[in-house]
Amino acid sequence: MTSNNPQTREWQALSNDHHLAPFSDFKQLKEKGPRIITHAKGVYLWDSEGNQILDGMAGLWCVAIGYGRDELADAASKQMRELPYYNLFFQTAHPPVLELAKAISDIAPEGMNHVFFTGSGSEGNDTMLRMVRHYWAIKGQPNKKVIISRKNGYHGSTVAGASLGGMTYMHEQGDLPIPGIVHIAQPYWFAEGGDMTPEEFGIWAANQLEEKILEVGVDNVGAFIAEPIQGAGGVIIPPDSYWPRIKEILAKYDILFVADEVICGFGRTGEWFGSDFYDLKPDMMTIAKGLTSGYIPMGGLIVRDAVVDVLNEGGDFNHGFTYSGHPVAAAVALENIRIMRDEKIIERVHAETAPYLQKRLRELNDHPLVGEVRGVGLLGAIELVQDKATRKRYEGKGVGMICRQFCFDNGLIMRAVGDTMIIAPPLVITPAEIDELVTKARKCLDLTLSALQG
Ligand SMILES: Cc1ncc(COP(=O)(O)O)c(C=O)c1O
């Protein structure tokens, strides 16, 4: 706890004494004390020390329309006064959830016109697992239970979410994955492509799906789940050959395809959904994050009509949450979608800011520490390496964490996944703010390189 500010020290003491933070080393956090974020506007955060920080991660990939939009606060306040809560169990509903289900159907890919609401992306994927198995049971194929997922994919942190995800460090705690979930290789050419070209590697990685279907037996496989672009795994943009080959395989075998759109959905790629960007035809799409721009928790599962037709014949679906379709969250989500549409935010990402960010980011390719810059829409990744030609990393130096700290200290939030720096700024970022982001990123790369050499 190094702050001279008594207020910061007081908050950090509260953290030490009472708070258990997600994805944190509790003991280490006590020694250091958390950075206290006090307020935010547009793409900027302020901490309790008075530092202004450009949020290159839109919170946790979620603050699509930027911080400080009064309209969302007003929508929440109005709904809280009118109907702060009612549940959707027992054959009841309320206007905001119904209007939201319609608004989502209007923007979802063709033929996806039904939404099951949850409180988070993880709950959306738990819902998916149960719905997939229920679906196959109704169709008289109850053995089709296995879900194929990918190594280093991220699908949440509940027991099912973490099992579906392919993060080994999560599996190591608590005996995961649960049975019935298997993982195949990820399409991460930079780290795992070896001597193959990206195109060859994309085909190889996609073929792992077919091999796994045959190994498990198509009569036992319920679904394949994947993020269109892996976010938390390190903004992994599949080689161009990957999705077309996956689509061929999916067309060949009778299994469901679930696109986890928790990060890619709601404009991140410059289209409403990552599935639009790659022309995927999912049977289900998990959503959260950008749905409410993170102003209030909400997630869900968008389901294809043909799947709903089967579910309609299955009697009760014995699943749901107290906060499924919470009226206040639904009112905020509706207002968020209205703003995205009326202000043409995704159109602007597509036509202006995504091409500009991608162009400016790639200028960092000339930096000695940078092995690859990649990105799509307002997603970007910078690979930090010791040797550009061979893609060799600095072993055991924690280069990503060093760079992340320099970013924090220099007014930029850029996340580190191992030695991959990643960004996903709010969708409302302007070209001038992109310039600031790239300038700060270059400065932090310089500082990181100096630290490694010193
Ligand atoms: C692709 C993906 N799926 C699911 C989740 C889990 O969402 P939540 O943290 O809202 O449970 C995340 C969270 O980062 C995610 O990135």
Side-chain angles (χ1 to χ4, degrees):
M1 293 215 287
T2 50
S3 173
N4 295 321
N5 178 341
Q7 177 66 82
T8 300
R9 285 208 306 275
E10 193 181 321
W11 279 323
Q12 289 180 330
L14 293 180
S15 165
N16 287 358
D17 293 347
H18 302 291
H19 187 223
L20 299 175
F23 282 99
S24 299
D25 176 332
F26 298 153
K27 188 168 162 215
Q28 191 193 57
L29 189 62
K30 271 191 206 301
E31 283 154 16
K32 202 168 162 228
R35 182 183 293 268
I36 311 291
I37 304 298
T38 53
H39 58 287
K41 183 83 189 162
V43 299
Y44 293 103
L45 305 165
W46 281 264
D47 68 16
S48 58
E49 302 290 281
N51 296 309
Q52 180 176 339
I53 307 165
L54 199 169
D55 186 1
M57 280 305 298
L60 266 180
W61 324 81
C62 50
V63 189
I65 65 167
Y67 296 96
R69 291 295 302 242
D70 286 340
E71 300 93 322
L72 268 57
D74 293 343
S77 157
K78 182 165 175 284
Q79 187 58 46
M80 276 198 189
R81 286 167 215 283
E82 219 161 271
L83 180 73
Y85 178 76
Y86 201 69
N87 70 78
L88 308 171
F89 295 26
F90 319 131
Q91 305 187 350
T92 57
H94 47 67
V97 79
L98 301 176
E99 286 165 24
L100 179 60
K102 166 77 167 91
I104 293 173
S105 302
D106 288 347
I107 55 177
E110 208 187 325
M112 302 193 79
N113 290 299
H114 295 79
V115 191
F116 190 104
F117 289 103
T118 67
S120 67
S122 301
E123 287 177 9
N125 282 327
D126 278 53
T127 300
M128 176 283 292
L129 183 133
R130 300 198 59 200
M131 195 180 275
V132 164
R133 291 177 177 176
H134 183 50
Y135 166 88
W136 287 113
I138 297 168
K139 285 187 66 140
Q141 292 168 277
N143 289 338
K144 281 174 82 69
K145 284 192 184 122
V146 175
I147 315 284
I148 300 176
S149 182
R150 298 183 302 180
K151 292 178 185 157
N152 201 35
Y154 188 81
H155 299 297
S157 197
T158 51
V159 170
S163 295
L164 288 163
M167 303 288 182
T168 44
Y169 66 93
M170 290 174 79
H171 292 170
E172 278 159 12
Q173 296 178 340
D175 231 357
L176 303 179
I178 53 173
I181 295 172
V182 295
H183 298 85
I184 58 171
Q186 58 177 334
Y188 188 8
W189 175 80
F190 187 84
E192 298 175 3
D195 293 332
M196 283 187 250
T197 64
E199 297 321 298
E200 287 165 354
F201 180 71
I203 298 287
W204 176 86
N207 282 340
Q208 301 309 301
L209 174 61
E210 183 161 40
E211 287 188 16
K212 189 57 86 178
I213 293 171
L214 296 175
E215 180 194 317
V216 175
V218 68
D219 293 343
N220 299 317
V221 178
F224 171 55
I225 182 171
E227 301 157 81
I229 293 166
Q230 283 158 262
V235 180
I236 293 156
I237 317 278
D240 290 345
S241 56
Y242 183 75
W243 282 118
R245 178 71 190 122
I246 290 278
K247 279 164 58 178
E248 283 173 12
I249 297 166
L250 290 170
K252 202 161 145 194
Y253 298 97
D254 190 18
I255 66 172
L256 297 175
F257 172 49
V258 184
D260 185 334
E261 294 271 1
V262 169
I263 284 178
C264 292
F266 298 93
R268 186 53 57 198
T269 62
E271 306 286 343
W272 274 101
F273 295 95
S275 295
D276 299 323
F277 185 84
Y278 285 116
D279 190 29
L280 310 176
K281 301 271 182 280
D283 298 294
M284 299 179 182
M285 300 200 308
T286 323
I287 53 171
K289 295 192 190 276
L291 168 62
T292 60
S293 280
Y295 279 53
I296 198 162
M298 185 175 234
L301 191 66
I302 311 179
V303 185
R304 183 164 290 286
D305 300 347
V307 173
V308 176
D309 288 344
V310 173
L311 297 173
N312 283 341
E313 301 306 313
D316 278 2
F317 180 40
N318 299 319
H319 174 76
F321 303 101
T322 302
Y323 301 124
S324 284
H326 192 286
V328 179
V332 170
L334 265 173
E335 185 62 5
N336 179 57
I337 292 173
R338 184 198 66 72
I339 289 175
M340 282 188 173
R341 294 179 90 144
D342 287 1
E343 298 182 8
K344 302 202 181 318
I345 288 175
I346 298 173
E347 287 88 333
R348 198 165 66 237
V349 169
H350 182 95
E352 186 187 357
T353 45
Y356 189 64
L357 176 78
Q358 297 304 334
K359 173 174 146 302
R360 293 286 343 254
L361 267 188
R362 279 168 181 71
E363 291 169 15
L364 298 173
N365 264 319
D366 68 2
H367 195 280
L369 201 51
V370 173
E372 179 181 85
V373 177
R374 58 174 179 268
V376 154
L378 290 185
L379 283 166
I382 305 167
E383 297 282 5
L384 307 184
V385 291
Q386 187 170 9
D387 186 323
K388 280 173 179 281
T390 60
R391 317 200 291 268
K392 181 175 179 294
R393 305 274 191 194
Y394 280 95
E395 293 300 335
K397 297 241 194 249
V399 184
M401 293 308 274
I402 297 173
C403 185
R404 187 183 84 165
Q405 192 59 44
F406 279 125
C407 290
F408 255 128
D409 295 343
N410 286 277
L412 172 66
I413 290 189
M414 197 159 52
R415 185 162 151 188
V417 177
D419 289 347
T420 312
M421 305 309 296
I422 57 178
I423 56 155
L427 304 187
V428 292
I429 194 168
T430 63
E433 289 160 346
I434 290 172
D435 290 340
E436 182 187 337
L437 188 156
V438 175
T439 303
K440 285 183 166 167
R442 182 177 286 280
K443 178 178 175 192
C444 296
L445 291 171
D446 288 344
L447 290 167
T448 306
L449 187 61
S450 304
L452 287 167
Q453 288 167 343

